[in-house]
Amino acid sequence: MRAWKKLAPDLELCHIMADALRWQRETDQWTQDGGQFIPSPASWLRGRRWEDEPGPREWGTRYLEEEGYDGI
């Protein structure tokens, strides 16, 4: 909670964070071993993990379909 209060994100940043979480939750790191390696919320916030770029694997069909990508 302290990390969230310190960051004090505005609505735009909250949307950016939600978009990042949407693809990050599908990564091997977050899904392997029952989610054992999901970072703690405070670590994720302090590490500014919403700024991470998805790799080729994360841009797979599932994520693109959720975002409405039509192949053009």
Side-chain angles (χ1 to χ4, degrees):
M1 194 65 159
R2 286 183 290 191
W4 182 261
K5 287 180 180 180
K6 183 178 180 181
L7 184 62
D10 60 12
L11 185 58
E12 181 181 2
L13 183 53
C14 288
H15 287 292
I16 292 168
M17 291 175 171
D19 287 342
L21 287 169
R22 206 171 281 123
W23 66 263
Q24 289 175 0
R25 70 179 181 210
E26 303 294 331
T27 62
D28 288 341
Q29 178 185 357
W30 284 41
T31 58
Q32 74 182 16
D33 296 327
Q36 179 179 352
F37 301 104
I38 296 172
S40 72
S43 294
W44 192 87
L45 291 168
R46 284 191 307 267
R48 302 181 64 90
R49 302 312 302 238
W50 62 89
E51 294 177 342
D52 291 354
E53 294 289 328
R57 188 170 191 178
E58 287 79 31
W59 279 104
T61 306
R62 184 173 182 182
Y63 178 73
L64 294 174
E65 287 173 356
E66 285 179 7
E67 295 302 311
Y69 178 74
D70 61 6
I72 296 174

